[in-house]
């Protein structure tokens, strides 16, 4: 029996002891985070799946793992088909599957600290139609059978200086207090880790690649706050920074504190606060206001200091990535390199900046068929040699004190095929169409998504992921509420109107299963757009990422004059931004890469 088969068997034995006929295992933590600490990696421990989004359901005789189109190939490589059924979402939801597979009269367990109230209601309805019941558990049964489960991180918080943040914590808490006053609310619960980090101008090291700390916060109507965090994570510098207006409490006290709001009006975010928070507030006699966390939109609209910081971070990050591409151009065709060694080389170039703090996510270093998995994660087991005839895709980013970056480039190892060049050029055309879009206020990312897909659609092609996600300011590389995606793609759903100051990715792609993947990703800033004779305010995008786009993969004849002009102007800007950071040989290489397309 394999390790993962044994773990599945152990969980089933535990469920039997707990008198449960099934259990749901999501990939998240008590904060509904996308990226979680090692202690919360229950799905990976149980199944072997290394993606960043998924859910498992374990029943006595069958088990299923649910992933979206980004992980269709990856989940089949990492998870045993003998133990698990592979189910695609959103075509089938976990609740729908439970409604047809749970035993009639069965008791299906869930951890109320790992699900939203909306999910609990949906799954409860589906099971009720089956004659089954959804049962909250006090102790997660996965934890009961995970003998060497890591402890939560004990890393200390650090101060994010006001000079980098662009606004003080006092100013941000005052704005939240005004928001509460408008809604006649007494307090708001902040449970999303990046919201807490932003509101209090602190950062942490509790989640790999995302500089946040495991904590909860409650902001009161007078602008004061309580921060619930393990005491050992606070030092004198953070204590002095927070001041008397932020009362420090042990993280273990948070659940009990929720029962003390009897007669009060307390706001909590139904998307970001787990069901246990809503249940505890209601049980304690509070009137719960299901409202979006007030930090979410404020955090998404970057202030001038944050925008300037991102430009500086992008410039130094772009130079590091350009140096890597120069190295890769000769090193990869020569042989001897692998996905892991290439990723390590890229990290070394970023580390050489002297101010790199972390990657902003696990680098997607993918050659050949691995590139066809949009969120492929290289491991020692999957590590492939990079050989001629392949496309090499690298999607990576850096965390710097002044900004978070995310960029994808593709280079041919040897001579690319005409099909590869055609597909790459179509992706480029879509990228340019989005980069040059002009739109009125109130436009959502979902309305713009088709701009990037049209050149692929015209050839009967598409890609199964969203086109853009929000990006934080030395925070989460995936930040809401802004996105560029249609509802039926991962990252889709209700779309937020785009506002000046928001930063998003622009990353159309194409993936040929078993052969190669293509994606071109820059970060873009929503900004006002002046148009002569315009009768209303308009918005557009400023491209923030400056890294050359591989010329050998472009079919110049497929580009319109306007597209060629954009590409030439982009490369001229790349040269202007990066050349001052480079030596003579590097500048010569860069100048050739950035020459007009002709």
């Amino acid at each position: 029996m394999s390790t993962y088969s044994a773990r599945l068997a152990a969980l089933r034995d535990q469920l039997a002891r707990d008198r449960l006929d099934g259990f749901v295992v999501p990939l998240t933590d008590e904060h509904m985070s996308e990226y979680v600490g090692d202690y919360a990696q229950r799905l990976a421990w149980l199944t072997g799946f290394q993606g960043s989004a998924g859910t498992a359901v374990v029943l006595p005789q069958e088990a299923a793992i649910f992933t979206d189109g980004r992980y269709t190939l990856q989940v089949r490589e990492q998870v045993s088909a003998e133990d698990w059924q592979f189910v695609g979402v959103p075509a089938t939801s976990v609740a729908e599957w439970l409604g047809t597979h749970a035993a009639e009269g069965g008791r299906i367990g869930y951890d109320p600290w790992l699900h939203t109230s909306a999910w609990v209601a949906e799954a409860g309805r589906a099971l009720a139609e089956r004659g089954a019941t959804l049962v909250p558990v006090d102790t997660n049964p996965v934890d009961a059978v995970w003998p060497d489960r890591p402890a939560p991180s004990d890393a200390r918080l650090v101060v994010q200086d006001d000079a980098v943040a662009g606004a003080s914590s006092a100013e941000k808490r005052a704005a939240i207090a005004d928001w509460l006053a408008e809604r006649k609310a007494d307090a708001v619960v902040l449970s999303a880790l990046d919201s807490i980090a932003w509101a209090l101008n602190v950062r942490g090291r509790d989640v790999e690649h995302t500089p946040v700390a495991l904590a909860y916060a409650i902001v009161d109507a007078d602008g004061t706050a309580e921060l619930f965090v393990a005491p050992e994570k606070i030092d004198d510098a953070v204590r002095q920074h927070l001041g008397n207006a932020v009362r420090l409490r042990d993280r273990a006290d948070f659940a009990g504190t929720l029962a003390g709001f009897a007669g009060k009006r307390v706001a909590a975010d139904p998307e970001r606060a787990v069901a246990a928070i809503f249940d505890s507030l209601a049980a304690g006699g509070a009137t719960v206001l299901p409202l979006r966390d007030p930090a979410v939109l404020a955090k998404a609209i970057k202030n001038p200091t944050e925008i300037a910081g991102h430009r500086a971070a992008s410039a130094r990050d772009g130079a590091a990535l350009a140096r890597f591409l120069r190295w890769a151009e000769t090193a990869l065709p020569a042989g001897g390199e692998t996905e892991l060694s290439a990723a390590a080389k890229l990290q070394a170039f970023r580390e050489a900046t002297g101010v790199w703090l972390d990657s902003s996510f696990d680098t997607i270093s993918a050659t050949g068929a691995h590139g066809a998995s949009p969120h492929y994660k290289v491991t020692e087991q999957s590590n492939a040699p990079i050989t001629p005839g392949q496309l090499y895709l690298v999607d990576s980013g850096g965390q710097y004190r002044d900004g978070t970056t995310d960029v994808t480039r593709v280079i041919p190892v040897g001579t690319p095929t005409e099909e590869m060049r055609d597909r790459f050029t179509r992706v480029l055309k879509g990228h340019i169409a989005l980069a040059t879009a002009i739109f009125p206020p109130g436009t959502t990312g979902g309305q713009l998504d088709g701009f990037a897909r049209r050149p692929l659609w015209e050839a009967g092609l598409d890609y199964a992921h969203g086109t853009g996600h929000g990006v934080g300011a030395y925070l989460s590389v995936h930040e809401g509420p802004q996105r560029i995606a249609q509802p039926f793609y991962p990252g889709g759903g209700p779309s937020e109107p785009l506002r000046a100051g928001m930063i998003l990715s622009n990353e159309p792609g194409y993936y040929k299963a078993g052969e190669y993947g293509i994606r071109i990703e820059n970060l873009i800033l929503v900004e006002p757009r002046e148009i002569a004779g315009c009768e209303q305010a308009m918005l557009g995008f400023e491209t923030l990422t400056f890294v050359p786009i591989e010329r050998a993969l472009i079919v110049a004849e497929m580009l319109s004059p306007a597209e060629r002009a954009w590409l030439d102007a982009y490369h001229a800007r790349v040269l202007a931004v990066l050349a001052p950071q480079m030596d003579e040989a590097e500048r010569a290489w860069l100048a050739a890469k950035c020459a007009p397309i002709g």
Side-chain angles (χ1 to χ4, degrees), residues 207-285:
V207 177
E208 192 174 16
H209 308 311
T210 306
V212 293
L214 293 172
Y216 295 97
I218 299 175
V219 181
D220 295 322
D222 62 359
T224 64
E226 289 180 289
L227 176 63
F228 297 83
V229 63
E232 63 270 18
K233 298 171 69 63
I234 299 293
D235 61 16
D236 289 342
V238 172
R239 190 175 287 107
Q240 181 177 357
H241 162 74
L242 294 174
N244 295 331
V246 179
R247 301 175 295 281
L248 293 171
R249 302 279 302 277
D250 195 312
R251 187 168 184 260
D253 295 338
F254 174 69
T257 300
L258 297 175
F261 286 93
K264 302 290 188 180
R265 290 166 54 85
V266 182
D269 191 325
E271 285 188 42
R272 296 166 180 83
V274 295
I277 291 175
F278 281 84
D279 295 344
S280 297
L281 286 169

Side-chain angles (χ1 to χ4, degrees), residues 104-283:
E104 293 185 16
R107 290 164 42 86
I108 306 301
Y110 75 99
D111 187 335
W113 287 95
L114 299 178
H115 297 276
T116 64
S117 295
W119 182 90
V120 172
E122 179 191 10
R125 286 192 299 269
L127 286 168
E129 292 179 6
R130 184 77 169 173
T133 307
L134 192 63
V135 180
V137 299
D138 294 325
T139 301
N140 193 304
V142 176
D143 299 349
V145 298
W146 187 353
D148 54 350
R149 180 181 170 225
S153 164
D154 60 0
R156 289 186 171 183
L157 281 68
V158 296
V159 175
Q160 179 76 341
D161 290 335
D162 294 355
V164 182
S168 69
S169 173
E171 291 172 307
K172 293 176 180 180
R173 286 184 280 106
I176 293 173
D178 290 341
W179 180 89
L180 288 167
E182 290 172 3
R183 290 152 182 82
K184 297 181 173 58
D186 298 292
V188 59
V189 175
L190 301 184
S191 57
L193 300 181
D194 58 345
S195 289
I196 297 165
W198 177 87
L200 299 181
N201 280 353
V202 294
R203 297 296 188 265
R205 293 176 293 168
D206 291 347
V207 177
E208 192 174 16
H209 308 311
T210 306
V212 293
L214 293 172
Y216 295 97
I218 299 175
V219 181
D220 295 322
D222 62 359
T224 64
E226 289 180 289
L227 176 63
F228 297 83
V229 63
E232 63 270 18
K233 298 171 69 63
I234 299 293
D235 61 16
D236 289 342
V238 172
R239 190 175 287 107
Q240 181 177 357
H241 162 74
L242 294 174
N244 295 331
V246 179
R247 301 175 295 281
L248 293 171
R249 302 279 302 277
D250 195 312
R251 187 168 184 260
D253 295 338
F254 174 69
T257 300
L258 297 175
F261 286 93
K264 302 290 188 180
R265 290 166 54 85
V266 182
D269 191 325
E271 285 188 42
R272 296 166 180 83
V274 295
I277 291 175
F278 281 84
D279 295 344
S280 297
L281 286 169

Side-chain angles (χ1 to χ4, degrees), residues 14 61 101 204 242 249 269 276 383 392 426 432 443 558 572 579:
Q14 183 64 41
Q61 301 301 323
H101 289 74
L242 294 174
R249 302 279 302 277
D269 191 325
N383 186 31
Y392 173 67
R426 290 181 185 278
I432 295 171
T443 300
M558 291 176 63

Side-chain angles (χ1 to χ4, degrees), residues 51-66:
S52 62
T55 300
V57 176
V58 177
L59 301 178
Q61 301 301 323
E62 58 183 331
I65 183 166
F66 299 75

